[in-house]
Amino acid sequence: PRRAATAARRSVAAAALRLHYRVQLLLPVRQTEAVFTGHRSHGHGCGPGALEVAFRTYAPRVRTAWIADPRHHHTIPAATRRIAPGTAAYWTALARSKYLVSNTGFDRRMVKRPGQVVVQTQLGTPLKKMGLDLLEHPAAARSTDFDALLADVDKWDYVLSANRHSTLVWERVYPSSYATLEYGQPSNDLLLTASSDDRERIRAGLGIPPDTTAILYAPTHRDYRVSQRLALDLERVARLLGPRFMILARSHPAYGAPLTRPGADGRLVDVSDHPDVTALCVASDALVTDYSSLMFDYACLDRPIVIHADDWDAYEAARGTYFDLRTFPPGAVARSEDELIDIFATGHWRGSRSGQLRSAFRARFCPYDDGRAAERVVRHVVLGERPGGEDRNTDGGSPWVPRQQSGAAGAARV
């Protein structure tokens, strides 16, 4: 009887929320409200987080709200309204906010209304296959409903892109009539605007001793594995690298479990629970990853990146990739644990060849990363400004046209 009563209460509550949402859809769209959310209703951050801050900075007349699970509400700025998923406030925000910003998507039951503007920030530059390309990789697609996916894509008004590569991928794998804003990655703005004092403060909080090289190790998840893959014996790596190095190990959020146990006399620290990967990037001196898109973000810092590609063939076969990372890497490539240790022990990780590879990688994938990507998006979407428009500096140049680095990526469209 208790279970039946609970089910009945839930059914009544769900029906009440559906009725509430239908009523809200009949009321006017609020022109000065914007609602934001991140992947899996996590806390404030990533592309939507950078845009939420930019909304309050450059379009202060727009009131902002953030949708997140209550356990993440502490990450939301005090000036931003907090909303829990599935509540009446949630459905009101979806029905009546003019601007809706996400890096994955909102509830697929959401009705896109005339006058609403949906901004899709994406989760970063794609190396692995995405969207409709997963039709060729059923192991990675799993139970993806592609019809529902395309219906969601049709709600988008703007898609953000960090580079020409991303633009070409998004427009093919998520086909619709949205406009692509190739203005850079808003989530990278904090990487480029963090001060040396910010860096030292974060390092102190993580317990990184002075004159210690901090390596951020952040592998991606594997579609062909159920459990987390421990590709490196991190205790051995830390021990052989010696006291000059410290390893910050961060597992992929999909696993929800630590990557390692603390060890090596405090020189091996698991930071999987750290709420802000941007802060970890700022604090570190180098990145070690396999195929994580974090490499594209980290490259804008112009710090060494080492790729550990010990299972490339299996990963490429299961997930599919847009280019062979081994032939166009952002730095040195290790194919085994011993090679990885040797790259750091010999200094190759920050040598001239690694610098050349990183420079070419940045030119292709970070052409607009200058700390002002979120500003450009808000000026375009909310204020109606355009690059090269009438708002100009005294020298005749637009105050917010993306800065392009030299190289082939400089020809990307804006």
Side-chain angles (χ1 to χ4, degrees):
R2 285 194 296 270
R3 286 196 297 269
T6 299
R9 285 195 298 270
R10 289 176 178 172
S11 178
V12 170
L17 285 174
R18 288 194 296 270
L19 176 60
H20 171 80
Y21 184 51
R22 286 197 292 268
V23 171
Q24 293 299 312
L25 289 172
L26 299 175
L27 300 175
V29 171
R30 293 167 175 163
Q31 300 298 309
T32 58
E33 292 192 3
V35 62
F36 302 77
T37 193
H39 184 55
R40 298 182 180 179
S41 296
H42 284 182
H44 191 277
C46 201
L51 286 180
E52 193 275 328
V53 173
F55 264 70
R56 287 188 281 111
T57 303
Y58 301 105
R61 66 180 180 82
V62 179
R63 293 171 294 178
T64 62
W66 188 278
I67 298 169
D69 189 279
R71 70 178 184 275
H72 297 299
H73 279 188
H74 68 281
T75 67
I76 302 172
T80 306
R81 184 186 177 199
R82 296 162 171 81
I83 298 176
T87 61
Y90 169 84
W91 289 107
T92 298
L94 294 189
R96 304 193 63 189
S97 299
K98 177 173 182 178
Y99 303 101
L100 302 100
V101 183
S102 173
N103 56 10
T104 49
F106 291 94
D107 194 299
R108 286 182 173 171
R109 293 170 293 179
M110 183 192 85
V111 177
K112 169 74 179 301
R113 300 179 64 185
Q116 287 189 312
V117 177
V118 176
V119 180
Q120 170 58 245
T121 71
Q122 300 293 2
L123 286 167
T125 296
L127 169 65
K128 61 187 179 184
K129 293 294 181 70
M130 302 290 289
L132 294 184
D133 281 346
L134 291 180
L135 287 167
E136 301 174 358
H137 296 273
R142 299 181 183 269
S143 58
T144 299
D145 185 335
F146 289 97
D147 289 334
L149 172 66
L150 291 176
D152 188 52
V153 170
D154 282 339
K155 299 174 184 175
W156 301 350
D157 292 286
Y158 297 102
V159 171
L160 307 192
S161 171
N163 45 62
R164 185 60 174 170
H165 162 77
S166 295
T167 298
L168 295 174
V169 171
W170 300 146
E171 292 182 352
R172 187 183 73 254
V173 305
Y174 299 122
S176 193
S177 58
Y178 56 77
T180 302
L181 302 184
E182 198 172 292
Y183 289 163
Q185 195 73 26
S187 57
N188 290 346
D189 288 351
L190 287 177
L191 291 175
L192 293 156
T193 57
S195 66
S196 57
D197 289 341
D198 293 330
R199 173 174 160 82
E200 292 306 315
R201 173 180 52 80
I202 298 170
R203 286 173 69 92
L206 292 169
I208 302 173
D211 302 322
T212 296
T213 298
I215 302 171
L216 175 60
Y217 174 54
T220 192
H221 74 287
R222 301 297 193 274
D223 296 289
Y224 61 91
R225 292 182 62 92
V226 175
S227 59
Q228 186 165 224
R229 176 179 181 267
L230 303 179
L232 295 173
D233 182 345
L234 293 175
E235 291 188 11
R236 176 175 180 265
V237 173
R239 184 175 65 253
L240 292 179
L241 289 182
R244 295 183 299 112
F245 292 90
M246 182 174 180
I247 299 176
L248 308 175
R250 185 176 180 83
S251 66
H252 192 277
Y255 295 115
L259 192 60
T260 186
R261 295 173 298 176
D265 299 323
R267 289 180 286 105
L268 174 58
V269 179
D270 191 276
V271 292
S272 300
D273 289 334
H274 195 285
D276 189 1
V277 70
T278 298
L280 299 176
C281 292
V282 170
S284 63
D285 299 289
L287 171 69
V288 173
T289 187
D290 39 29
Y291 323 117
S292 172
S293 63
L294 184 62
M295 73 180 79
F296 299 100
D297 304 328
Y298 199 87
C300 73
L301 288 170
D302 199 17
R303 296 179 192 166
I305 301 172
V306 177
I307 299 300
H308 181 231
D310 66 324
D311 67 334
W312 172 263
D313 292 336
Y315 184 85
E316 205 284 330
R319 180 69 196 218
T321 59
Y322 290 113
F323 64 93
D324 190 336
L325 186 61
R326 299 169 300 177
T327 62
F328 193 77
V333 177
R335 293 171 174 79
S336 68
E337 183 175 304
D338 288 338
E339 282 189 14
L340 179 67
I341 294 170
D342 187 64
I343 285 170
F344 280 95
T346 60
H348 181 46
W349 64 284
R350 57 181 178 182
S352 59
R353 177 55 179 163
S354 294
Q356 292 170 356
L357 292 171
R358 185 170 67 254
S359 179
F361 195 85
R362 292 179 67 239
R364 180 178 179 185
F365 296 113
C366 309
Y368 309 121
D369 284 318
D370 59 359
R372 301 183 67 185
E375 176 189 350
R376 288 190 282 271
V377 173
V378 172
R379 288 187 179 277
H380 184 124
V381 174
V382 182
L383 304 182
E385 299 177 10
R386 300 292 186 272
E390 296 181 359
D391 286 348
R392 294 183 178 275
N393 291 325
T394 56
D395 62 0
S398 170
W400 62 283
V401 171
R403 171 191 58 78
Q404 297 187 35
Q405 297 180 10
S406 60
R413 67 181 175 87
V414 179

